[in-house]
Amino acid sequence: GSGSPSEGLANESNGTSSSKPKTEQSTSMSAASKSASPLYILYGSATGNAEHIAKDLAKTYETYLSNPSFLGYFTSVQCCELNKYKKNCLDTWSSSPDSNNLQKVKHGIIIVCSTTGNADAPENADRFVRWIKRKTTKGDTFQHCAYAVLGLGDTNYDVFCAMGKVIDKRLEELGGTRAVSLGMADEATGLEEVVEPWVGNVISELAEVCKGHTSIGSLNQGMRLPETNKRPIRSSSPTDEEKKMEDGDLVPFNSRSTGVRTIRALMSIPITDPLPDVPNSELPTMVSSLSSCRLIDETTRDRSESLAAENMTVSSASSGFLFTASRPYESKILNARYLTKTNTACAAKVAEVLDGGDGKLVEALDMYSHHFPLSEDKNGKRVIEMTMSLPDDFTLEYEPGDSVGMIVPNSRDSIGFVLEMLLRNHGIQRSQSISVDEGDPVTVEEALRTTVDLSGTMKKKRLLLLANFAKDAEEERALRLLSRASKPGEPDLYDTFVEQQRRSVVDILHEFPSAQSISLEGLLGCLTAIPPRYYSVCSSPLKDRQDGNECQVKVAFSVVDFNTPVVQCDVTSGRRVRGLATSRLECVSSPFLSGRQPSAHATLLIFPKPTHEFRLPADISTPLVLIGPGTGIAPFIGFLSHRLAQIASLESTEAAHVASEGTWRGSYELNPDELNISKSDVKGLNVAADYLCKQKTGDVDLFFGCRHSDHDYLYQHELERFRDVGFISNLYTAFSRDDKEHKTYVQTLMLTDETCGKRLVEMITKKQASVYICGDGNAMGRDVQNAIVSLLAKDLMDSGKCETAEQAKSGGIAKIDQMKSFGKFVLDIWS
């Protein structure tokens, strides 16, 4: 049998606990049989992962609550972003849920929070984090609360799960009762390894503590779906139109779908045998829908739009608010150029095709794919610098080191596929009005364009939701096989078929066509939101102001364009994957890339993403070590431009005179025509030279690495000119593909070039330089840090300050840790 719903929640419900029943029936325990307050699930999310986990958990619990026989402790759920704590939660948290005020019964709080930037809080959690860190926040603020925190992080970053750690520690310091140990999930190795078991137990364990129990006991079953021969519980009852056939009515295992054939081949299962069933215990713990939607008529739409207009305040309708991911700024592309040595012939042709709009974007993307076959290594490496407009009322400001977030719509072909599928199976028109999660009315087409991610790689639990709708028995089994937890020693089917091939929901629906019967609500519910894309700023507002270009910002990005691995039994493997955002940006930037002016400027939705750590030192006398392989160089171009502008702003009358002559004090002439920079940049360099003659400015050593010196040496002319005129003291470059026998990276350069290594140690130990590391790479940040530790350890041994290699290594690590604590060793690494 499947058991009752309460049994699927471990010992969380009353009457199903395997432990001995309580003999005392005190008033307080009677009051604790049901929670007087909701289960609070809050999230802080930058890319959507934390939000999806939190909403998943909330929806799953609500599914159980809808069953009359469910005996759970919490009777309702309140799920919201952390920054809404004051409006939605604080009044309840500050009062005791126990009418007898015995301080044993608690409110239940679950927090899921990611870390963004370098130990920063996500935008929708920053106010909450500032509040709990504030010294004026009362020490007993959470005395009536029990809590559990799940942190999401990435070990590629220097500080792992920083926000999760901060929140978990501060809630305890503010009087909260920790019910579950801090969970820390690593995106570098896969979030599910930690998330699945943590969320499986968290409500059960939290409920025990909230009831006033001091001992949690053995709670290892967790929030698993009850074992059953039938399909997993749905998040909502299906309509007659989408209702599944019973198992006996399903199509037999002679399915001819591409996906089933590939799964069979990968598992070496002959066509005569059915695919194996997967028990629920091996499937993801939560299979709830993330979103709800309802079709609405025009009367409802008119009323909703009227209410929305009435509720719009003056401040929200004006340009005086801060731009965010939910309220982005519509920016225009003002300019663009390839930073790589990329042929612009295709850009010129695309510019003609797209003249006046992006209606032929699919054709343009195909033109780029045809023009840049990936059989040539350099074709897959295209880097663009793009200039975008900012509001002329200065309501969107930035500093060097910040990033710009960008909201990107789904591709036209993926939207078209889903719209055709919904029309064919359910008669839903693209212009039909719907409300998603009780939001304002939008058309079905608009919801698919901006609400859900149709291009992202499918996750296991989303595949399980799709399996619910598959009418073909073999396709259902195949999707469940892809959803199950991987087993040690066995090939990882999900990794081979989905992750490595970057299969999206559109790909899965193509290859498992019987799942195309999925309803609109089911589709929206099994997909995550489109995450914003973030790009490093490579300009300086101070420099732009001096140049008279105040209302613009520059970013640099690599165009994502690669082939997936070829798998012999997977006929659609080895396919070309293009970045949803960067491929579109390359297309709409084509007029500028080819050196022409467009008839109309393409627009983008952007918002600022400030950083608190990755900032230039205020004192221009502080020496800098800048380490930026690949597009990691982008923020350092902003840094250098800003420091140049800082120096220029301090110019004296004499310095201005020297600058106007275009010469160095040492009679070295600087010709603007020799540079790929503006005349104002030349003026800044000249002023900087004059200033350097009279005042002490910190040395700047810069490390840059790329594949080919003749192709992707980004900002080559700018960097070499900065070096030639002395603004950069030392420029170290490493090109990993120039020598086919020996690959050289910036970290190997540090260790193999003795002069370079000694200089780096001198900058850190004697000149007290600030070190910045930025770049794209799973191991680059760690490898560079390890190289610097090795150099510091060698210096300690050579100077006789340490007797053993182990002591020296510990000394090197301690030095780096000390620098980090003072903000003098900062990383911005992304994967």
Side-chain angles (χ1 to χ4, degrees), residues 537-579:
V537 167
C538 57
S539 54
S540 159
L542 181 59
K543 181 68 177 63
D544 287 340
R545 197 174 303 130
Q546 292 175 355
D547 290 350
N549 301 317
E550 293 178 301
C551 300
Q552 66 178 39
V553 62
K554 293 180 181 179
V555 297
F557 58 88
S558 290
V559 179
V560 177
D561 192 3
F562 63 94
N563 286 327
T564 62
V566 175
V567 179
Q568 187 174 3
C569 56
D570 186 349
V571 295
T572 61
S573 67
R575 61 221 192 95
R576 190 163 186 168
V577 175
R578 299 177 299 203

Side-chain angles (χ1 to χ4, degrees), residues 194-267:
V194 172
V195 172
E196 286 296 322
W198 193 91
V199 300
N201 292 327
V202 65
I203 295 182
S204 306
E205 300 190 22
L206 181 64
E208 292 298 306
V209 176
C210 288
K211 292 174 187 177
H213 298 174
T214 55
S215 175
I216 295 176
S218 176
L219 299 171
N220 55 13
Q221 182 181 355
M223 194 169 169
R224 288 279 172 193
L225 291 171
E227 204 48 57
T228 173
N229 292 327
K230 295 184 179 181
R231 298 167 189 241
I233 297 173
R234 292 174 178 272
S235 59
S236 59
S237 300
T239 63
D240 291 339
E241 181 181 8
E242 68 193 31
K243 188 173 181 180
K244 301 286 296 185
M245 302 178 190
E246 294 301 322
D247 285 351
D249 297 330
L250 290 173
V251 181
F253 53 81
N254 61 352
S255 170
R256 297 182 179 180
S257 74
T258 307
V260 170
R261 289 202 304 270
T262 304
I263 298 302
R264 282 184 175 281
L266 290 172
M267 298 183 70

